[in-house]
Amino acid sequence: MTVEAETICRQCARECGSCCRTVPQTAHLCFPLSFAEWCRLSSFEHQAICQDDALSVSSGQGVALEASAQRGTSAVNGAIGSDSSVVQDQHRILLQQGDAICVAEDNCAEFKDSMRKLFYSRRAEVDRLFPSEGRHLRLRTGADGACVFLGEEGCRLPRSVRPWYCLLFPVWVQEDSLTWFQPKACLVAQRATGVAHVMQLVGQSAPEARQLFSCLQQDWGL
């Protein structure tokens, strides 16, 4: 993403509320978060907590690192542990109760219909990934519908750990063609005259967008 693209995202966060905010009543329809993406976010959050506590200790506030390490231990072990049973247990727990990063949602009919539209040619795989009796994860949002990682200047996450969908938005790949979402609160969608203009505004090339989409599908097993 170029400096210009980061600027338009910050402007959008200040003036339009940002695409990182949803209507609370429809939060259950937010794009799902894969376990692999949760692992990256959890590891990043754990490191950030440790760094903050280390600064507190050095400034004489006496905050122990041990407490933050305990808060992030299970998440990091689940993310990088070689024991597949540990990973599966962590994922199972998340799907039951979520955590500070994510919310566990039922695979309701409305959510599944939305996913089938996004992956129109792979509806059978979507049904396999999101069985009606199952659940999925999504990024946690506040009472105002804002993503837990949304700050006054836009997303607080470095691009290296952001979910694939967030990196793509508002661009999407449908039937191998590049297209884009057009939410009213998105400055890019308001200003764009076509998909090529969208790509220019977000500072992304067509090959880069396709690569991001490929990574998204890979993390989901598509």
Side-chain angles (χ1 to χ4, degrees):
M1 180 178 280
T2 63
V3 173
E4 290 77 12
E6 289 283 4
T7 299
I8 197 172
C9 286
R10 287 196 296 270
Q11 182 182 355
C12 189
R14 291 193 301 268
E15 299 177 7
C16 301
S18 172
C19 56
C20 304
R21 190 187 304 273
T22 187
V23 178
Q25 292 79 2
T26 61
H28 63 289
L29 299 178
C30 288
F31 197 84
L33 185 74
S34 69
F35 184 61
E37 290 171 312
W38 175 86
C39 288
R40 292 193 289 272
L41 289 171
S42 180
S43 181
F44 170 78
E45 282 289 274
H46 171 65
Q47 293 171 11
I49 289 171
C50 288
Q51 289 171 359
D52 288 345
D53 285 355
L55 288 174
S56 297
V57 171
S58 65
S59 64
Q61 295 178 25
V63 179
L65 281 172
E66 183 179 356
S68 65
Q70 290 175 346
R71 291 197 295 270
T73 295
S74 61
V76 175
N77 284 346
I80 63 176
S82 58
D83 188 341
S84 61
S85 64
V86 173
V87 174
Q88 291 171 1
D89 287 345
Q90 181 66 57
H91 194 191
R92 190 178 301 111
I93 292 171
L94 285 170
L95 289 174
Q96 292 172 352
Q97 60 193 38
D99 68 356
I101 292 173
C102 65
V103 173
E105 296 278 8
D106 292 333
N107 296 336
C108 67
E110 193 177 7
F111 165 77
K112 291 187 66 172
D113 285 345
S114 175
M115 294 300 292
R116 289 191 190 104
K117 290 176 182 177
L118 288 175
F119 297 97
Y120 184 77
S121 63
R122 314 189 77 167
R123 286 171 290 177
E125 293 173 88
V126 168
D127 288 340
R128 173 182 58 82
L129 287 171
F130 304 103
S132 298
E133 68 278 7
R135 310 188 86 192
H136 65 274
L137 305 175
R138 67 165 174 85
L139 285 173
R140 184 172 290 279
T141 51
D144 60 351
C147 172
V148 68
F149 293 111
L150 178 62
E152 293 183 0
E153 295 294 311
C155 183
R156 296 187 291 105
L157 292 170
R159 292 184 60 80
S160 59
V161 299
R162 291 182 193 177
W164 301 118
Y165 181 79
C166 301
L167 290 172
L168 262 173
F169 195 88
V171 179
W172 190 247
V173 180
Q174 188 70 275
E175 300 298 310
D176 203 38
S177 297
L178 289 174
T179 184
W180 83 101
F181 300 108
Q182 301 180 48
K184 294 180 180 179
C186 177
L187 282 184
V188 171
Q190 292 174 17
R191 297 176 181 179
T193 57
V195 68
H197 193 195
V198 170
M199 305 297 290
Q200 178 185 346
L201 289 173
V202 300
Q204 199 173 92
S205 68
E208 287 171 341
R210 293 183 185 280
Q211 179 61 35
L212 288 172
F213 187 72
S214 177
C215 289
L216 181 151
Q217 294 185 102
Q218 182 176 342
D219 268 4
W220 275 109
L222 286 168

